[in-house]
Amino acid sequence: MAIFKNEFNVHIQRQKKALSLVAASIIISINWLTYILAVNQGHILEAGLGYYINPFVSILLAFFILKERFSKGEWLAIFIVSLGVIYMSLGVGHIPWLALTLAVTFGVYGLIKKTINIDATYALAVETAVLAPIALLYILYLNASGVNTLDFGLNRDTMFTMGTGVVTAIPLLLFALGAVKIPLSLTGLLQYIGPTLMLFIGIFLYGESFTATHQIAYGFIWAGLILYTLLRFKASRPRRPKGKVKLTDD
């Protein structure tokens, strides 16, 4: 009876992990689709804002779902970032839905990957296998409708489109593998490189306007990020033992 019960529990756990991987596939697809829409519609700055907010969404998910606790200083950092998002919403006249969607979906995606505790390479392979048939059917539908420029020939557009998959999957895999081998403080700092590059690309390459509203909002957000990063870096440093070491004479 005990053996049957154990096998049943193992089966249930496998089903839960499989469903979690499917959910992760859907959520990361929403994240990618939102990012593509943001870039194509000229909202690169808002997309970058979403990835600046993402670490704090992860903090809130950890607090409410994983029951983790944080210091008063870390909550102050979250509050400062929230002021930036609120100011941005009031300044531009609407809630930055693209940024919030990117932040929430990637935060939930990270939460799922953390809770199921599966090898990163295997998990990414399963997610790709889940999404590949849907993507292929959609490409075939667009080709049949005559509204798709992508074909299966070896031309520049097709190769560039295929290349976007490579430059998306490889960083995800490397991040998942590296996150368990480097300090948490360094991981947090590395997460801000992407949205910072997006900010520069949006301003200097695509000519998006960095208005006074953006400057003030990003000022709040950067202040919160700096405070949070310093606190996490301080907390991750090894503590020296208290007391003086007595020297003995030989």
mmCIF file of all heavy atoms in Angstrom, residues 201-233:
data_model
loop_
_atom_site.group_PDB
_atom_site.id
_atom_site.type_symbol
_atom_site.label_atom_id
_atom_site.label_comp_id
_atom_site.label_asym_id
_atom_site.label_seq_id
_atom_site.Cartn_x
_atom_site.Cartn_y
_atom_site.Cartn_z
ATOM 1 N N ILE A 201 19.589 52.353 -26.962
ATOM 2 C CA ILE A 201 19.188 52.056 -28.342
ATOM 3 C C ILE A 201 17.957 52.859 -28.730
ATOM 4 O O ILE A 201 17.873 53.416 -29.828
ATOM 5 C CB ILE A 201 18.933 50.540 -28.500
ATOM 6 C CG1 ILE A 201 20.250 49.771 -28.434
ATOM 7 C CG2 ILE A 201 18.222 50.244 -29.831
ATOM 8 C CD1 ILE A 201 20.085 48.268 -28.411
ATOM 9 N N GLY A 202 16.988 52.910 -27.817
ATOM 10 C CA GLY A 202 15.768 53.657 -28.106
ATOM 11 C C GLY A 202 16.024 55.134 -28.334
ATOM 12 O O GLY A 202 15.428 55.755 -29.231
ATOM 13 N N ILE A 203 16.941 55.719 -27.547
ATOM 14 C CA ILE A 203 17.207 57.152 -27.651
ATOM 15 C C ILE A 203 18.113 57.471 -28.844
ATOM 16 O O ILE A 203 17.796 58.334 -29.673
ATOM 17 C CB ILE A 203 17.840 57.681 -26.348
ATOM 18 C CG1 ILE A 203 16.855 57.550 -25.187
ATOM 19 C CG2 ILE A 203 18.274 59.139 -26.503
ATOM 20 C CD1 ILE A 203 17.459 57.895 -23.843
ATOM 21 N N PHE A 204 19.255 56.772 -28.938
ATOM 22 C CA PHE A 204 20.301 57.171 -29.884
ATOM 23 C C PHE A 204 20.167 56.518 -31.262
ATOM 24 O O PHE A 204 20.616 57.085 -32.257
ATOM 25 C CB PHE A 204 21.677 56.853 -29.302
ATOM 26 C CG PHE A 204 21.978 57.615 -28.041
ATOM 27 C CD1 PHE A 204 22.040 56.973 -26.817
ATOM 28 C CD2 PHE A 204 22.179 58.983 -28.078
ATOM 29 C CE1 PHE A 204 22.313 57.666 -25.652
ATOM 30 C CE2 PHE A 204 22.457 59.697 -26.915
ATOM 31 C CZ PHE A 204 22.520 59.039 -25.705
ATOM 32 N N LEU A 205 19.565 55.330 -31.348
ATOM 33 C CA LEU A 205 19.431 54.673 -32.646
ATOM 34 C C LEU A 205 18.055 54.885 -33.269
ATOM 35 O O LEU A 205 17.946 55.066 -34.486
ATOM 36 C CB LEU A 205 19.719 53.175 -32.515
ATOM 37 C CG LEU A 205 21.169 52.788 -32.207
ATOM 38 C CD1 LEU A 205 21.323 51.266 -32.192
ATOM 39 C CD2 LEU A 205 22.135 53.398 -33.215
ATOM 40 N N TYR A 206 17.010 54.838 -32.437
ATOM 41 C CA TYR A 206 15.656 54.956 -32.974
ATOM 42 C C TYR A 206 15.036 56.325 -32.717
ATOM 43 O O TYR A 206 13.901 56.570 -33.125
ATOM 44 C CB TYR A 206 14.762 53.852 -32.392
ATOM 45 C CG TYR A 206 15.092 52.489 -32.949
ATOM 46 C CD1 TYR A 206 16.032 51.671 -32.326
ATOM 47 C CD2 TYR A 206 14.483 52.013 -34.105
ATOM 48 C CE1 TYR A 206 16.359 50.426 -32.837
ATOM 49 C CE2 TYR A 206 14.788 50.769 -34.624
ATOM 50 C CZ TYR A 206 15.732 49.982 -33.982
ATOM 51 O OH TYR A 206 16.051 48.753 -34.493
ATOM 52 N N GLY A 207 15.750 57.199 -32.046
ATOM 53 C CA GLY A 207 15.305 58.578 -31.897
ATOM 54 C C GLY A 207 14.065 58.775 -31.054
ATOM 55 O O GLY A 207 13.345 59.764 -31.237
ATOM 56 N N GLU A 208 13.789 57.864 -30.102
ATOM 57 C CA GLU A 208 12.652 58.072 -29.209
ATOM 58 C C GLU A 208 12.956 59.230 -28.256
ATOM 59 O O GLU A 208 14.097 59.401 -27.804
ATOM 60 C CB GLU A 208 12.350 56.800 -28.418
ATOM 61 C CG GLU A 208 11.806 55.662 -29.264
ATOM 62 C CD GLU A 208 11.277 54.523 -28.416
ATOM 63 O OE1 GLU A 208 10.792 54.775 -27.293
ATOM 64 O OE2 GLU A 208 11.341 53.373 -28.867
ATOM 65 N N SER A 209 11.956 60.019 -27.957
ATOM 66 C CA SER A 209 12.157 61.201 -27.119
ATOM 67 C C SER A 209 12.245 60.815 -25.647
ATOM 68 O O SER A 209 11.399 60.083 -25.133
ATOM 69 C CB SER A 209 11.015 62.195 -27.329
ATOM 70 O OG SER A 209 9.764 61.593 -27.014
ATOM 71 N N PHE A 210 13.289 61.323 -25.000
ATOM 72 C CA PHE A 210 13.485 61.109 -23.559
ATOM 73 C C PHE A 210 13.066 62.394 -22.865
ATOM 74 O O PHE A 210 13.867 63.284 -22.599
ATOM 75 C CB PHE A 210 14.949 60.769 -23.276
ATOM 76 C CG PHE A 210 15.197 60.210 -21.906
ATOM 77 C CD1 PHE A 210 14.617 59.015 -21.517
ATOM 78 C CD2 PHE A 210 16.018 60.871 -21.005
ATOM 79 C CE1 PHE A 210 14.849 58.482 -20.249
ATOM 80 C CE2 PHE A 210 16.259 60.354 -19.750
ATOM 81 C CZ PHE A 210 15.676 59.159 -19.368
ATOM 82 N N THR A 211 11.776 62.487 -22.578
ATOM 83 C CA THR A 211 11.184 63.725 -22.091
ATOM 84 C C THR A 211 11.508 63.959 -20.621
ATOM 85 O O THR A 211 12.114 63.117 -19.950
ATOM 86 C CB THR A 211 9.662 63.679 -22.265
ATOM 87 O OG1 THR A 211 9.128 62.620 -21.437
ATOM 88 C CG2 THR A 211 9.290 63.411 -23.716
ATOM 89 N N ALA A 212 11.068 65.116 -20.118
ATOM 90 C CA ALA A 212 11.255 65.424 -18.704
ATOM 91 C C ALA A 212 10.533 64.410 -17.822
ATOM 92 O O ALA A 212 11.013 64.054 -16.737
ATOM 93 C CB ALA A 212 10.748 66.836 -18.415
ATOM 94 N N THR A 213 9.381 63.953 -18.289
ATOM 95 C CA THR A 213 8.655 62.915 -17.536
ATOM 96 C C THR A 213 9.479 61.647 -17.424
ATOM 97 O O THR A 213 9.571 61.035 -16.348
ATOM 98 C CB THR A 213 7.311 62.606 -18.223
ATOM 99 O OG1 THR A 213 6.510 63.785 -18.241
ATOM 100 C CG2 THR A 213 6.577 61.496 -17.501
ATOM 101 N N HIS A 214 10.098 61.241 -18.544
ATOM 102 C CA HIS A 214 10.959 60.061 -18.518
ATOM 103 C C HIS A 214 12.136 60.269 -17.568
ATOM 104 O O HIS A 214 12.503 59.358 -16.812
ATOM 105 C CB HIS A 214 11.489 59.758 -19.928
ATOM 106 C CG HIS A 214 10.471 59.186 -20.850
ATOM 107 N ND1 HIS A 214 9.700 59.971 -21.677
ATOM 108 C CD2 HIS A 214 10.080 57.910 -21.088
ATOM 109 C CE1 HIS A 214 8.893 59.212 -22.388
ATOM 110 N NE2 HIS A 214 9.092 57.949 -22.048
ATOM 111 N N GLN A 215 12.736 61.449 -17.610
ATOM 112 C CA GLN A 215 13.900 61.714 -16.772
ATOM 113 C C GLN A 215 13.566 61.590 -15.292
ATOM 114 O O GLN A 215 14.305 60.961 -14.523
ATOM 115 C CB GLN A 215 14.430 63.116 -17.079
ATOM 116 C CG GLN A 215 14.997 63.261 -18.490
ATOM 117 C CD GLN A 215 15.355 64.697 -18.813
ATOM 118 O OE1 GLN A 215 15.580 65.503 -17.923
ATOM 119 N NE2 GLN A 215 15.419 65.033 -20.100
ATOM 120 N N ILE A 216 12.441 62.185 -14.872
ATOM 121 C CA ILE A 216 12.059 62.126 -13.462
ATOM 122 C C ILE A 216 11.668 60.695 -13.071
ATOM 123 O O ILE A 216 12.084 60.181 -12.019
ATOM 124 C CB ILE A 216 10.906 63.098 -13.179
ATOM 125 C CG1 ILE A 216 11.367 64.541 -13.410
ATOM 126 C CG2 ILE A 216 10.390 62.928 -11.753
ATOM 127 C CD1 ILE A 216 10.268 65.568 -13.292
ATOM 128 N N ALA A 217 10.877 60.036 -13.918
ATOM 129 C CA ALA A 217 10.441 58.674 -13.614
ATOM 130 C C ALA A 217 11.628 57.720 -13.531
ATOM 131 O O ALA A 217 11.743 56.922 -12.585
ATOM 132 C CB ALA A 217 9.451 58.192 -14.678
ATOM 133 N N TYR A 218 12.526 57.801 -14.523
ATOM 134 C CA TYR A 218 13.705 56.944 -14.494
ATOM 135 C C TYR A 218 14.614 57.305 -13.333
ATOM 136 O O TYR A 218 15.324 56.445 -12.794
ATOM 137 C CB TYR A 218 14.473 57.050 -15.819
ATOM 138 C CG TYR A 218 14.023 56.056 -16.862
ATOM 139 C CD1 TYR A 218 13.032 56.360 -17.786
ATOM 140 C CD2 TYR A 218 14.602 54.793 -16.914
ATOM 141 C CE1 TYR A 218 12.618 55.446 -18.737
ATOM 142 C CE2 TYR A 218 14.194 53.864 -17.868
ATOM 143 C CZ TYR A 218 13.212 54.200 -18.777
ATOM 144 O OH TYR A 218 12.811 53.287 -19.706
ATOM 145 N N GLY A 219 14.612 58.591 -12.919
ATOM 146 C CA GLY A 219 15.394 58.982 -11.756
ATOM 147 C C GLY A 219 14.944 58.246 -10.505
ATOM 148 O O GLY A 219 15.768 57.741 -9.728
ATOM 149 N N PHE A 220 13.623 58.189 -10.296
ATOM 150 C CA PHE A 220 13.093 57.419 -9.165
ATOM 151 C C PHE A 220 13.485 55.949 -9.272
ATOM 152 O O PHE A 220 13.910 55.318 -8.289
ATOM 153 C CB PHE A 220 11.572 57.542 -9.104
ATOM 154 C CG PHE A 220 11.073 58.795 -8.443
ATOM 155 C CD1 PHE A 220 10.376 59.749 -9.160
ATOM 156 C CD2 PHE A 220 11.300 59.016 -7.098
ATOM 157 C CE1 PHE A 220 9.912 60.911 -8.556
ATOM 158 C CE2 PHE A 220 10.840 60.161 -6.471
ATOM 159 C CZ PHE A 220 10.145 61.126 -7.211
ATOM 160 N N ILE A 221 13.326 55.407 -10.479
ATOM 161 C CA ILE A 221 13.575 53.977 -10.681
ATOM 162 C C ILE A 221 15.050 53.657 -10.471
ATOM 163 O O ILE A 221 15.401 52.678 -9.786
ATOM 164 C CB ILE A 221 13.116 53.552 -12.086
ATOM 165 C CG1 ILE A 221 11.588 53.643 -12.163
ATOM 166 C CG2 ILE A 221 13.582 52.142 -12.413
ATOM 167 C CD1 ILE A 221 11.038 53.521 -13.559
ATOM 168 N N TRP A 222 15.937 54.481 -11.024
ATOM 169 C CA TRP A 222 17.367 54.233 -10.828
ATOM 170 C C TRP A 222 17.764 54.382 -9.361
ATOM 171 O O TRP A 222 18.606 53.622 -8.873
ATOM 172 C CB TRP A 222 18.180 55.202 -11.693
ATOM 173 C CG TRP A 222 18.186 54.832 -13.140
ATOM 174 C CD1 TRP A 222 18.106 53.579 -13.676
ATOM 175 C CD2 TRP A 222 18.257 55.731 -14.255
ATOM 176 N NE1 TRP A 222 18.123 53.627 -15.054
ATOM 177 C CE2 TRP A 222 18.221 54.942 -15.430
ATOM 178 C CE3 TRP A 222 18.355 57.106 -14.381
ATOM 179 C CZ2 TRP A 222 18.282 55.497 -16.708
ATOM 180 C CZ3 TRP A 222 18.420 57.661 -15.658
ATOM 181 C CH2 TRP A 222 18.385 56.861 -16.799
ATOM 182 N N ALA A 223 17.177 55.361 -8.663
ATOM 183 C CA ALA A 223 17.473 55.533 -7.232
ATOM 184 C C ALA A 223 17.063 54.281 -6.457
ATOM 185 O O ALA A 223 17.805 53.802 -5.591
ATOM 186 C CB ALA A 223 16.749 56.765 -6.697
ATOM 187 N N GLY A 224 15.872 53.737 -6.766
ATOM 188 C CA GLY A 224 15.426 52.515 -6.105
ATOM 189 C C GLY A 224 16.320 51.337 -6.423
ATOM 190 O O GLY A 224 16.646 50.525 -5.544
ATOM 191 N N LEU A 225 16.748 51.235 -7.687
ATOM 192 C CA LEU A 225 17.629 50.136 -8.088
ATOM 193 C C LEU A 225 18.972 50.217 -7.384
ATOM 194 O O LEU A 225 19.506 49.206 -6.918
ATOM 195 C CB LEU A 225 17.840 50.168 -9.602
ATOM 196 C CG LEU A 225 16.633 49.834 -10.477
ATOM 197 C CD1 LEU A 225 16.989 49.969 -11.953
ATOM 198 C CD2 LEU A 225 16.135 48.425 -10.195
ATOM 199 N N ILE A 226 19.537 51.418 -7.306
ATOM 200 C CA ILE A 226 20.834 51.584 -6.650
ATOM 201 C C ILE A 226 20.730 51.219 -5.173
ATOM 202 O O ILE A 226 21.580 50.499 -4.625
ATOM 203 C CB ILE A 226 21.339 53.032 -6.827
ATOM 204 C CG1 ILE A 226 21.678 53.293 -8.299
ATOM 205 C CG2 ILE A 226 22.560 53.293 -5.944
ATOM 206 C CD1 ILE A 226 21.992 54.739 -8.609
ATOM 207 N N LEU A 227 19.670 51.705 -4.516
ATOM 208 C CA LEU A 227 19.477 51.393 -3.100
ATOM 209 C C LEU A 227 19.321 49.896 -2.890
ATOM 210 O O LEU A 227 19.965 49.300 -2.004
ATOM 211 C CB LEU A 227 18.246 52.133 -2.564
ATOM 212 C CG LEU A 227 17.835 51.800 -1.119
ATOM 213 C CD1 LEU A 227 18.969 52.143 -0.151
ATOM 214 C CD2 LEU A 227 16.550 52.535 -0.747
ATOM 215 N N TYR A 228 18.492 49.267 -3.690
ATOM 216 C CA TYR A 228 18.259 47.831 -3.553
ATOM 217 C C TYR A 228 19.533 47.031 -3.810
ATOM 218 O O TYR A 228 19.851 46.086 -3.074
ATOM 219 C CB TYR A 228 17.162 47.388 -4.528
ATOM 220 C CG TYR A 228 16.926 45.902 -4.528
ATOM 221 C CD1 TYR A 228 16.243 45.291 -3.487
ATOM 222 C CD2 TYR A 228 17.398 45.100 -5.566
ATOM 223 C CE1 TYR A 228 16.032 43.926 -3.481
ATOM 224 C CE2 TYR A 228 17.202 43.738 -5.565
ATOM 225 C CZ TYR A 228 16.513 43.148 -4.524
ATOM 226 O OH TYR A 228 16.321 41.804 -4.523
ATOM 227 N N THR A 229 20.288 47.418 -4.847
ATOM 228 C CA THR A 229 21.514 46.702 -5.185
ATOM 229 C C THR A 229 22.538 46.815 -4.067
ATOM 230 O O THR A 229 23.197 45.834 -3.708
ATOM 231 C CB THR A 229 22.101 47.253 -6.491
ATOM 232 O OG1 THR A 229 21.143 47.108 -7.545
ATOM 233 C CG2 THR A 229 23.356 46.482 -6.878
ATOM 234 N N LEU A 230 22.686 48.012 -3.501
ATOM 235 C CA LEU A 230 23.631 48.198 -2.402
ATOM 236 C C LEU A 230 23.236 47.363 -1.183
ATOM 237 O O LEU A 230 24.099 46.762 -0.525
ATOM 238 C CB LEU A 230 23.704 49.682 -2.028
ATOM 239 C CG LEU A 230 24.369 50.612 -3.055
ATOM 240 C CD1 LEU A 230 24.265 52.060 -2.607
ATOM 241 C CD2 LEU A 230 25.824 50.224 -3.281
ATOM 242 N N LEU A 231 21.948 47.320 -0.885
ATOM 243 C CA LEU A 231 21.483 46.534 0.255
ATOM 244 C C LEU A 231 21.725 45.048 0.040
ATOM 245 O O LEU A 231 22.154 44.331 0.952
ATOM 246 C CB LEU A 231 20.000 46.808 0.509
ATOM 247 C CG LEU A 231 19.650 48.205 1.034
ATOM 248 C CD1 LEU A 231 18.138 48.413 1.032
ATOM 249 C CD2 LEU A 231 20.205 48.405 2.435
ATOM 250 N N ARG A 232 21.432 44.558 -1.178
ATOM 251 C CA ARG A 232 21.649 43.142 -1.468
ATOM 252 C C ARG A 232 23.133 42.800 -1.454
ATOM 253 O O ARG A 232 23.531 41.723 -0.995
ATOM 254 C CB ARG A 232 21.042 42.780 -2.824
ATOM 255 C CG ARG A 232 19.529 42.899 -2.893
ATOM 256 C CD ARG A 232 18.850 42.053 -1.851
ATOM 257 N NE ARG A 232 19.131 40.633 -2.015
ATOM 258 C CZ ARG A 232 18.728 39.692 -1.169
ATOM 259 N NH1 ARG A 232 18.046 40.020 -0.099
ATOM 260 N NH2 ARG A 232 19.005 38.433 -1.392
ATOM 261 N N PHE A 233 23.956 43.727 -1.965
ATOM 262 C CA PHE A 233 25.396 43.486 -1.972
ATOM 263 C C PHE A 233 25.941 43.416 -0.546
ATOM 264 O O PHE A 233 26.749 42.563 -0.205
ATOM 265 C CB PHE A 233 26.097 44.608 -2.742
ATOM 266 C CG PHE A 233 27.593 44.449 -2.801
ATOM 267 C CD1 PHE A 233 28.178 43.520 -3.640
ATOM 268 C CD2 PHE A 233 28.411 45.243 -2.002
ATOM 269 C CE1 PHE A 233 29.558 43.367 -3.680
ATOM 270 C CE2 PHE A 233 29.785 45.096 -2.032
ATOM 271 C CZ PHE A 233 30.364 44.155 -2.881
#
